[in-house]
Amino acid sequence: MDVICPDATQNAPRRGAMSPFLDRRVFLRRGAQLALALPVAAQAGPALAAASDAGAIDAHGAHTDPGPATLDAPSQGVAGAGFSNYGMPAAAERRVIRLTGSNRDVPGNGVSWTPLESLEGILTPSGLHFERHHNGVPQVDPQQFKLTLHGLVARPLRFDLAALLRYPLQSRLLFVECGGNSNAGWHAEPMQKPAGSVHGLVSCSEWTGVPLRLLLAEAGVDPRASWVIASGLDAAATEVSLPLAKLQGDALLALYQNGERLRAENGYPLRLILPGWEGVTQIKWLHRLEVTDRPVMSRNETAQYSELRPDGRADQFTFVMGPKSLITSPSFGQHLPAPGVYEVRGLAWSGHGAVAAVEVSADGGRNWSLARLEPPVLDRCFTRFRAAWRWDGKPAVLQSRVRDTHGNVQPGRAALVAERGRNGYFHYNAIVSWAVDADGVLSHVYV
Amino acid sequence: MSAQPCLGVTRVPARKRYVLRRWLLLGLSCAGLLACSAVRPPVVAAGWLQAGSTPALGWSVSSQQLATLRPAIYPDGHGLPPGQGLAGNGARLYATQCASCHGAQGEGGTAPELVGGEGPLTRPDADKTLLTYWPYATTLFDTVARSMPPAAPGHLSADQLYALCAWLLERNGLWPADTPLDATGLASVRMPNRAGFIAHRPTDGP
């Protein structure tokens, strides 16, 4: 069996009865007898756990429904609600929200986290895409909007939205991750919060926009140029320097997110998308691109988004987000109602390429099994992984680790801290460990 | 379509079950191959560039128009506006514009500390401040000019900005109190951690 870390061959997953992870086909074949995986009860839904606990088990091993005798739903026989101009989540799901946190004196300086633990598949609903703003969400008038492309170019150009919308468009499913995502991982004690409230400064959308290389070609880039300074229309006037090669490569000027025009908080009307790179470089409300021959050394590429090493020096322009994976279910705040078979579900991604393999462990990393990668498995995009796991009711520690198509492997926390110290702050991508106690309660632990 | 047997429900002879399973596996493999082929991102723009027929819908911009854009401010002082300011004037501005968040003496509050900071950066609890961490003084001017104060950013005059920077640098022992700060002076300030950064030039990939 494939193992992610060459040095872990001695820990190769044991097959058969010893491994708590079930072979995928065995799981699917036996699914009928097992009545599928038991539901994982979220804290917000104690009724689900209670129902499972209360239900008796019949002769075939299936739970009997403790609910009312009639199977007809109570909503039948009543006229339904009317049509709506823009659909909203079901009323009962309104608690699936972004948690927000911001500066007391500057309410627009803060973040909102994607509730990863409540979502499935690989696409983040636009309204739940994470936010990191330095001074709020500007209201940009699309009629007045212009993008200026200037600097070391033969022909400085300005584009309005009508012009940009006539260019050939490209759609790609891509994750966007804040360079500061998961930075609580540097803390001495593991943060006891839901997965999304610690690791949710990452989301995945279908972005549609104009390949920037077309506009750069029209402007005629000077051979001396090597950087581009990108600026946003936000109140912080966020500005970063970006290597020209990336902008002449796969950069997109995004106009659409998940099929509709960008949400205001995601850069309406125009956002730079740089596949795999940290979020701060993917300038929202983009209105200016200045081609130049050196970086401008703005605050967000010197004092911030640089990574202090143990030797006191700092890494700068570390744009690519490393390989990372996270078990979203079961995870902190959830509860396993009884021993049995559960589906371990999670997300994996890498700013270097596509996900090549994800392994899961239930014993804190001593033994690993391959998880199933659910198609599509795309370049610089969330990949959903799944593994059938039999919980025997004893304490367990669930982990996942990813290897990408370039051979980059997600590190363990001890290895990451040993290499980068405790003050790196940005680009934390260590393995996340969820402990399951004998009562089925999940907590966050360091292993 | 209704004639199609539903796998797993309708009884299917053993041989047919085998064939169906083979087709199912083949189908899954194809799906996997498709997924793999999609790993390489499509180069949509290439054809348009080769054809030399990009839409070319941008307006040309005159140098007079470009001159109205705020210039980028580089570490060598390029882009800094004319003007000057004394630390004493900066102290008064700081009190009214900055102290409520950054602290009365720049010691920090709901916003980062701007005066002092305990070195060295190898400490377990490293203090990443203007004094101990920032590599360029021009970055301070640029940050204040574009984004401060948060309630009304971008309205301070060049003289006010130089005065504020003069006071902050003076408090950190990096500029004399009685010398006006201007573009040349600001670019000449060597921040203590100037050599502390390792600039990477990542290629797009591994």
Side-chain angles (χ1 to χ4, degrees), chain A residues 306-318:
Chain A
S306 55
E307 299 157 58
L308 187 56
R309 293 178 172 188
D311 68 4
R313 295 182 301 163
D315 290 307
Q316 191 186 12
F317 304 127
T318 51

Side-chain angles (χ1 to χ4, degrees), chain A residues 103-106 135 146 148 150 156-160 163 166-170 172 211 213-214 217-218 226-227 229 235-237 239 243 246 250 275 277 288 290 292 294-299 302-303 306-320 352 354 375-380 406 408 423-425, chain B residues 25 28 31-32 35-36 38-46 48-49 54-61 65-66 69-76 78 100-101 110-112 121-126 128 133-136 138-139 142-143 146-151 153 193 195-206:
Chain A
N103 185 285
R104 196 175 66 225
D105 287 326
V106 188
N135 195 358
K146 301 271 194 311
T148 305
H150 67 112
L157 296 170
R158 295 195 93 190
F159 301 87
D160 64 8
R166 280 183 54 196
Y167 277 74
L169 298 175
Q170 181 183 12
R172 285 189 67 182
R213 57 204 302 250
L214 289 176
E218 288 185 352
S226 52
W227 291 80
I229 303 165
E239 182 170 275
K246 179 70 170 176
D250 58 3
W277 283 24
R288 186 172 159 188
E290 181 173 0
T292 177
R294 60 206 152 128
V296 75
M297 301 294 180
S298 70
R299 175 172 182 257
T302 54
S306 55
E307 299 157 58
L308 187 56
R309 293 178 172 188
D311 68 4
R313 295 182 301 163
D315 290 307
Q316 191 186 12
F317 304 127
T318 51
F319 298 122
V320 182
H352 296 279
V377 179
L378 300 172
D379 185 61
R380 297 161 227 240
H406 295 277
N408 302 294
N423 294 306
Y425 195 80
Chain B
L25 280 173
L28 286 172
C36 287
V39 162
R40 185 177 301 168
V43 188
V44 163
W48 290 77
L49 288 174
T54 59
L57 296 169
W59 289 295
S60 61
V61 190
Q65 286 176 302
L66 287 173
L69 289 171
R70 180 211 303 267
I73 294 171
Y74 291 88
D76 63 3
H78 186 93
S100 62
C101 295
T110 57
L121 290 170
T122 48
R123 285 181 353 141
D125 240 343
K128 295 194 282 185
Y133 196 66
W134 289 47
Y136 303 104
T138 49
T139 309
D142 176 67
T143 302
R146 69 175 54 251
S147 63
M148 294 291 149
N193 195 41
F197 286 79
I198 302 158
H200 292 257
R201 286 297 301 273
T203 53
D204 183 33

Side-chain angles (χ1 to χ4, degrees), chain A residues 20-21 327 330 336 342 344 361-366 389-399 432-445 447:
Chain A
F21 291 99
I327 293 172
L336 308 183
Y342 293 85
V344 172
S361 172
D363 55 10
R366 280 189 294 279
W389 169 57
R390 184 189 300 281
W391 181 49
D392 59 9
K394 299 189 180 118
V397 175
L398 292 169
Q399 295 182 324
V432 177
S433 307
W434 305 118
V436 185
D437 71 11
D439 296 325
V441 174
L442 273 288
S443 64
H444 184 199
V445 293
V447 173

Side-chain angles (χ1 to χ4, degrees), chain B residues 121-171:
Chain B
L121 290 170
T122 48
R123 285 181 353 141
D125 240 343
D127 215 1
K128 295 194 282 185
T129 66
L130 186 61
L131 178 64
T132 66
Y133 196 66
W134 289 47
Y136 303 104
T138 49
T139 309
L140 171 65
F141 184 100
D142 176 67
T143 302
V144 180
R146 69 175 54 251
S147 63
M148 294 291 149
H155 296 304
L156 295 170
S157 70
D159 287 349
Q160 288 177 315
L161 291 164
Y162 282 117
L164 265 175
C165 289
W167 186 74
L168 289 170
L169 293 170
E170 189 271 324
R171 290 284 89 191

Side-chain angles (χ1 to χ4, degrees), chain B residues 91-115:
Chain B
R92 283 188 288 279
L93 269 170
Y94 180 88
T96 57
Q97 301 288 325
C98 323
S100 62
C101 295
H102 289 281
Q105 295 301 316
E107 72 277 15
T110 57
E113 67 180 301
L114 296 172
V115 174

